[in-house]
Amino acid sequence: MGHYPTGVAVVTGIAEDGEELALVVGTFSSVSLEPPLVSFMPMKTSKTFEKLRHLKTMCINILGEEQEDLVTTIASRWENKYRGLEAFRSPAGNPVLAGSVAWVDVETDNIVEAGDHWIVLCRVLDLAIVNAGSPLLFFQGGYGGFLSTTLAARTDKEFSDLVAEVEPTRGILEGLASGIGCQVTLYRAVSRDEFAQVLSATGPGVDRSGGVGRRLPIVPPIGDTYMYAQPESEQERWIAKARGVSDETKDVFRQRMDFVRRHGYLVAFLPDDNEAAYDDVNEATRQYAQGRMTPAEERRVRETIFNSSVDYELRDIDPHTAYRIGSMVFPVQSPEGGVEYTLRLSQFPGPRLGHRVLDWIERGKSAVNLIESLIGFSQTQQS
C-alpha cells in the first residue's frame, strides 16, 4: 500500500467549549456528485475525532505541497493546535488553514465501522478553491508534491532563463578553475529544497564528470550558503532534515551558517585516511540529479549526504600546515541583498600548505565580487 500515494488533508472544527480541533488525515476522498458526498477515515483511537464526530459541521482543508511543516506541527500537538498558525473561518464557522489549496465544509452523513478505522461519510455544504496549486502528497512514508508535464516544461523554460542570466560570468569561472586546477560550479537555489547547477568550468586535467550532480538537495550539510540568510524557522527546518545526527553535529551546522555570514566562505576537509570521502556523496547527488526518485530513494540519498565522512568542522588554517580540501563554497548576493547563488570549488589538487589554501579562498572571494557585479548589471539591463 506504500506504493500508492494519497492526498493530505486536515479536518477542522470548533468544539462547544471553544476548543479549535484539527485532525491530519491521508484518507480523504470524493465519493459522489449526486448527492455531493466525500469521506475520510480516522483511526478509532483518535481522541480528536471523538470530539469532531459530535460537531454539527466540519471543514476539510486540502493541503498544498508547501505545507508539510504544518502537518508536523498539528500532528505533534495535543492541544492549542492552531498556536502560531494563520487561519480564517469558512461560511460554516470552521477554521480554514491559510495556504491550503481548497476547503470543503461538510456535515456527517454516516459513520461506518471498518476494522481499526471509521469510514466517515460526509455531505458537502460548501467549498472553494483558495490557492490553485499542487497538493501535498504522502507516499512511501514521505511527503512531496506533484509536477505535471506542463509544469515541468514551464520550469525548464525558467531554468533556461537562469542560465542565460549568468552566462556573462563564464569567463570568471573558467579563469578561477584554470588558475587553481579545480572544478568551479555556480548553483542557484530554485526552491527552498533544491539547488540547480547553472554554470560550470574545470581546470586542465580535472574530470568534469567526477563531481556532484547537476541538482543538489538542500539538506545538511549542503545549503548553508543559502540558509544562513533565511529566517530562523527555515534554518531549523533545514537542520531537522538531518535525521538521526547528534546535537553536536547540528550545532556544527549552525556554527557554519554563522561563519559564512561573517566571513563569506566555508571550507570542507577530506579526512587524512580517506581521500575518497566524497565518492559516496558525489554518487548520491548524481542519483538525485536523475530525478523521478521515490521518497524512499530520496531519503537514502539524503542520509548518504549527511552521514558522509567529509569533515565540516570549522578550523583556523595555519599557513604552514598541509590540508586536504574537499570543497569551498561562497554565497553570491543579488543586487537586492538576497542570497540565491552559491559558488562551489571542488576536486582540488592533492594536499597543499595552508598559505595556498588561503590564496584559494581569496581567489574565490574575488570571483564572487566580479560575479555579483556582472549579475547585477545583467538584471539591471533586463529590468
Side-chain angles (χ1 to χ4, degrees), residues 164-205:
E165 180 179 279
V166 299
E167 181 62 32
T169 70
R170 181 179 296 276
I172 300 171
L173 270 63
E174 292 175 345
L176 184 61
S178 178
I180 295 177
C182 67
Q183 183 173 27
V184 179
T185 308
L186 190 62
Y187 284 95
R188 168 72 182 258
V190 293
S191 75
R192 63 178 183 171
D193 294 309
E194 185 174 283
F195 279 132
Q197 175 184 311
V198 290
L199 213 57
S200 182
T202 52

Side-chain angles (χ1 to χ4, degrees), residues 253-265:
F253 299 150
R254 296 186 181 96
Q255 292 164 12
R256 284 175 62 86
M257 285 191 290
D258 182 61
F259 186 92
V260 73
R261 179 184 296 108
R262 291 184 288 112
H263 299 285
Y265 74 93

Side-chain angles (χ1 to χ4, degrees), residues 183-248:
Q183 183 173 27
V184 179
T185 308
L186 190 62
Y187 284 95
R188 168 72 182 258
V190 293
S191 75
R192 63 178 183 171
D193 294 309
E194 185 174 283
F195 279 132
Q197 175 184 311
V198 290
L199 213 57
S200 182
T202 52
V206 178
D207 181 8
R208 179 180 290 271
S209 64
V212 296
R214 296 177 62 86
R215 294 167 56 238
L216 300 178
I218 298 180
V219 54
I222 296 174
D224 33 28
T225 51
Y226 170 70
M227 295 309 306
Y228 85 90
Q230 305 305 311
E232 184 178 355
S233 59
E234 282 295 296
Q235 294 174 3
E236 291 303 311
R237 173 183 178 272
W238 172 69
I239 292 173
K241 292 180 181 179
R243 296 186 178 96
V245 302
S246 66
D247 289 340
E248 291 77 11

